[in-house]
Structure formats: C-alpha cells, structure tokens
Amino acid sequence: MAGKEDLKLLGLPLSPFVVSVRMALNMKGVSYEYVDEDLNNKSELLLKSNPVHKKVPVLIHNGKPICESLVILQYVDELFAGRSILPTDPYERATARFWAAFAGDKLFPAWYGVVTAQAEEERAEKVKETLAAIEHMEVAFAKCSGGNAFFGGDSIGYVDVVLGSFLFWFEAVRRVDGLEIINASKTPLLAAWAERFGGSVEAKEAVPVTKADLAVQYISKFRAPAAAAAKLASSE
Amino acid sequence: MAGGDDLKLLGLWSSPFVLRVQLALSLKGLSYEYIEEEALVNKGELLLKYNPVHKKVPVLIHNGKPVCESRVILQYIDEAFAGIGPSLLPADPYERAVARFWAAYIDDTMLPVWNKSSMGKTEEEMAEGKKQSLATAGVLEGALRDCGKGKPFFGGDSAGYVDVVLGGLLGWVRASDELHGVKPFDPERTPLLAAWSERFGALEAVEPVVPDVSRLVEFGKMWKARLAAAAAGASN
C-alpha cells in the first residue's frame, strides 16, 4: 500500500505495555500518532476500539483496532518490514513466546503487587514472588542469548522489549523501597543486560529518563492514603 | 509427515490444555507418541526435565526439544509444520491478531471465571463466578457472530486456532451440566456457541480425541468431593 500508514496508538504515560509497543514501532521505523488516555475519563475512541477490556495499549491501523500488547507486538512484527522483533526459527519463536508469556503471567502480577500491596505482609509475599520470577528470567537469558548481548541475540528482540519496558518501574521501586528486583550479585546476567538495554537507542527513544521519576511519584501518591491512615492510627 | 520428525506429547487425559494440542496435531494429520502423565512412575522427574519452570503438561517434545504452554505449542506446531495439513492461524496479519486476541481472552478472562464458578471457596464466590461466566460466554458469542460472519468456525470455513483453543474445553463443557447444573454454552443464551460445540465436536479429527464425558463427570465428582473434604477438614 503506497503512502503513509494511518497508525494511532492509545496509551498511558506510565504503562510498560504501552512502552513496549512504542519501542516496537520505533524499531520498525514506522511513524504513528500517539494519544494519552485518561483512565478516569476514557475516550470514545478507546471504548469503541477495545470494548472488551477498555484498556491500553490499543493500536489503530487504518481504522482497525488491535488490542493486548503481545498481540500488538506480533502484529507490528508481521506486518512491517525491517528488522525482525521475533526470531525467524520456529523453535526460537516458541521459546521467545514462552518467556514473554511468563513475564506477563508470573513476573508482572508479582511486581504489581509489590507496588500496590496495602499490608506489609502482602508486600513481602509479592517481593518473594517477584524475586523468584526474576530468577527464572536469569536462566532464560542464558538460554535465549546464547552468550550474546540480548535475549534476541546480537540485537534487541521480543523478550528484550517485553522485559525491558519494565525497567523504569524496577528503578522506581529501587528508589522508593530500596528493593533491587534485578540485583547484580543474585542475577548478574540480567543486571548486565539491563545496563546494555538501558543504554540502547531503542530504550532511550521509548523511555525518557523522566519516566522513572514519574513512576516514583506515582508510587508515593498511591501509597500516601495508607501511609496517612497508618500515621493516624499510630498517633491515636 | 516429514521424515525424521520425532514428536512426543506429555499429557494428562483430563487436561483441556493437553486436549488442545492433541486436536491441533489431529487436525494437521501429524503422528506422535502420547505419554500419559498419570501412568508415569517418574513423572516428577520427567516434568522437571522438560518443563522446569512450570512442571506442567502439555509438553510437546519435537526431536528431543521441549515446547511448553498450550498456546505457544499450538503456534509452534502451525509454524514448524507449515506445509503439512491445514493452517491453524489465518494468513492475514490482522486476522491473526484477532485470533490471538480471542485465544488470550479465553484463557485470561473466561477460564478464571469458569473456575471460580465451580471451584470458588464460598457459595458467594461461586455465584459471582457463574454470573461472570454468563457474561464472558455472551462476549464470546459476539466474537463468533462478528468475526465468524456466519461461517461455521472461528477460523472461517474450517477449524482454526481459536476453535482449537476453545475446543480443548469441549469435554468439560459437556460434563458441566451434570457436574454443576450449568450449560456453559446454553443454546438459548448462546445459540451460535452451542451450535459451534456440536459442529466442532463432530469433526472427524476431533470426535475420537475428546475424552469420554462420563469419565470426566466421574473425575469431576471425585475432585469436588476431595475439595469439600479439604474445606470441611480446614474448618474443623
């Protein structure tokens, strides 16, 4: 199809899922219009485009919506020429999909629990789960990278994008809680990968330095009511 | 089948996730050795070896290399055996994205509420699960109507990815009425899904593969009794 593709991405500033899609679009060198949604006042377009989940990211391509970040990533990879995001070999693709699914099903819910847990006990449990999941990702890195710099080998690929889009949140948790989800002594391969990934053109384009600051602000704001209540309770 | 391809499937007769893989292999006309987990003496060892992360079935072992997670396995089969039998995923990237979206919906949204309705910890939870299950069945009915566009399957004229993902649940769907007094695809509420169940179930590649309903009912009753005993024991 000649001419510019009509691409619109509905997102949120702090969503790592949105960041992963932006990274993929950038990697393909495709230009798109980006729209920030307000969760408390979702646009007509969002509600019409993702009636099932009413969530971002949503990629709208020539008027047709694609939802769910992993579905969007694969769509972008398959549709647009240029560098491959997923590997080409079927077995390697299966491995990449396995780890992307693991990150989504096990790692991220646990991390989310660390950020949002109301009670200390709950948070400690979620920290344990997060660290257990990240240990699996350390093993995954060894397997997928084959001694190279990234999960995708020589260059950034699917699993790099999926996991890498969360790094600014891990940094925020480190600043607020002093918790290192990726720790240089416990998960040395991932720690080295995180540095390389963070320094990459792909990451810098999609994740401005300020995102971690915004995430820190979000965590503090989120926890403020509980902190205030605790203070009040302890002063009575 | 291509010479030199060794396919083994580690499975459990009652698992809908394993059934999905069997359906896919059957639809594509691929032969494989089936290894029943229940019959294994060293099942712990075997699962640890082939699926160290989740220790679950299904595991597809292709020429000695394991692939885990049912939806990852389905896509692997489709890609690794692209020239053999029908394709599971559509050729068009947008239709592929739609198929992946609904497969994710079935696993991430529908299944959890189905489980809640039959295995919820309290009567209230189960009632809520039942209500939510009705809602998700309605959404899926809409998907079949809108994406199917009057065609017999989610995949169009022939069964595809979403049909197989949903089809794995067919045995339990049939057993549900006797076990829980609920028809997940009630012909009155979801006529398209009810018709789809019959049609899909009658396919030559499907009919012999789906486990016997009475055997599933017996298993389900035993499982329910076990859960009830555990709950009673816990409350003493």
Side-chain angles (χ1 to χ4, degrees):
Chain A
M1 171 173 145
K4 203 169 156 226
E5 301 281 349
D6 177 28
L7 277 171
K8 192 182 259 181
L9 177 65
L10 306 181
L12 280 174
L14 287 176
S15 163
F17 306 104
V18 171
V19 166
S20 73
V21 173
R22 299 194 80 166
M23 222 175 271
L25 289 166
N26 295 347
M27 281 162 75
K28 291 287 188 182
V30 178
S31 49
Y32 60 99
E33 184 196 339
Y34 177 76
V35 177
D36 261 330
E37 285 285 330
D38 176 0
L39 281 186
N40 297 316
N41 187 18
K42 293 177 183 177
S43 72
E44 266 308 307
L45 185 59
L46 173 58
L47 297 175
K48 193 182 85 176
S49 306
N50 191 358
V52 176
H53 300 298
K54 305 178 182 62
K55 283 183 181 173
V56 294
V58 178
L59 182 70
I60 306 168
H61 184 203
N62 297 332
K64 299 200 288 190
I66 303 107
C67 311
E68 293 294 287
S69 66
L70 295 183
V71 176
I72 300 172
L73 290 178
Q74 292 182 85
Y75 176 75
V76 167
D77 198 31
E78 288 168 12
L79 195 68
F80 298 112
R83 50 190 290 204
S84 284
I85 300 173
L86 269 109
T88 41
D89 170 70
Y91 190 76
E92 287 175 34
R93 288 163 75 81
T95 305
R97 285 182 176 127
F98 175 89
W99 287 111
F102 178 83
D105 297 339
K106 300 280 183 233
L107 176 60
F108 303 149
W111 150 82
Y112 190 70
V114 171
V115 171
T116 59
Q118 297 295 333
E120 194 46 52
E121 222 177 79
E122 192 196 332
R123 203 185 139 268
E125 187 56 47
K126 292 297 166 186
V127 167
K128 227 169 111 186
E129 280 175 32
T130 306
L131 295 177
I134 221 55
E135 263 179 54
H136 279 298
M137 298 294 316
E138 173 84 355
V139 174
F141 185 80
K143 284 199 178 133
C144 297
S145 64
N148 291 306
F150 301 103
F151 285 90
D154 277 328
S155 56
I156 284 171
Y158 191 55
V159 182
D160 300 283
V161 170
V162 169
L163 185 60
S165 57
F166 272 77
L167 289 176
F168 72 94
W169 269 105
F170 291 174
E171 170 59 17
V173 167
R174 188 192 67 79
R175 291 189 205 170
V176 176
D177 292 338
L179 169 70
E180 279 188 329
I181 292 171
I182 294 176
N183 173 282
S185 39
K186 290 190 189 141
T187 52
L189 296 177
L190 280 183
W193 164 83
E195 277 234 32
R196 282 193 294 274
F197 184 88
S200 71
V201 165
E202 293 89 336
K204 285 185 178 161
E205 268 186 335
V207 192
V209 176
T210 47
K211 266 211 201 289
D213 299 328
L214 286 171
V216 167
Q217 281 173 38
Y218 179 93
I219 298 174
S220 312
K221 208 167 124 193
F222 185 90
R223 291 180 182 173
K231 226 176 165 183
L232 210 63
S234 65
S235 66
E236 278 170 358
Chain B
M1 181 163 104
D5 271 305
D6 177 55
L7 274 174
K8 290 183 175 47
L9 175 63
L10 276 175
L12 185 61
W13 70 273
S14 53
S15 161
F17 306 104
V18 170
L19 181 57
R20 284 174 183 172
V21 179
Q22 291 176 291
L23 290 171
L25 291 166
S26 179
L27 281 164
K28 289 197 63 95
L30 294 165
S31 41
Y32 60 98
E33 183 194 344
Y34 178 75
I35 301 167
E36 173 58 55
E37 188 198 325
E38 221 178 54
L40 289 176
V41 171
N42 60 340
K43 74 169 163 207
E45 260 178 58
L46 216 61
L47 283 178
L48 194 64
K49 178 180 169 189
Y50 288 114
N51 191 356
V53 177
H54 300 297
K55 303 178 195 61
K56 281 182 181 170
V57 290
V59 181
L60 182 74
I61 308 166
H62 184 201
N63 294 334
K65 299 201 289 190
V67 184
C68 308
E69 291 294 285
S70 66
R71 281 183 284 140
V72 175
I73 297 171
L74 292 182
Q75 292 183 84
Y76 175 74
I77 290 171
D78 208 31
E79 292 173 5
F81 298 97
I84 299 167
S87 283
L88 292 176
L89 274 140
D92 173 69
Y94 186 75
E95 288 178 33
R96 290 158 78 84
V98 172
R100 286 180 178 132
F101 175 87
W102 288 112
Y105 180 84
I106 289 163
D107 279 355
D108 301 338
T109 305
M110 197 181 81
L111 272 183
V113 298
W114 277 23
N115 288 336
K116 197 167 155 186
S117 68
S118 58
M119 295 190 284
K121 296 189 190 87
T122 61
E123 283 299 325
E124 268 163 2
E125 218 184 293
M126 288 198 275
E128 203 197 344
K130 284 193 167 98
K131 210 171 125 197
Q132 289 168 322
S133 297
L134 283 173
T136 59
V139 171
L140 208 58
E141 175 86 355
L144 185 54
R145 184 184 51 238
D146 300 335
C147 308
K149 298 190 219 303
K151 300 242 169 168
F153 301 101
F154 285 92
D157 287 316
S158 52
Y161 184 58
V162 179
D163 301 281
V164 172
V165 169
L166 190 60
L169 302 164
L170 202 58
W172 286 109
V173 165
R174 289 172 179 166
S176 180
D177 200 5
E178 193 177 331
L179 274 174
H180 313 296
V182 167
K183 287 199 183 92
F185 299 149
D186 186 329
E188 296 206 4
R189 285 186 221 259
T190 52
L192 294 177
L193 284 173
W196 170 88
S197 291
E198 296 292 311
R199 196 182 301 127
F200 184 79
L203 286 174
E204 206 184 306
V206 172
E207 203 267 322
V209 186
V210 180
D212 183 46
V213 182
S214 50
R215 201 180 165 200
L216 283 173
V217 168
E218 197 189 311
F219 179 83
K221 283 183 175 158
M222 184 196 71
W223 190 250
K224 246 179 148 176
R226 231 188 249 172
L227 284 175
S235 64
N236 279 349

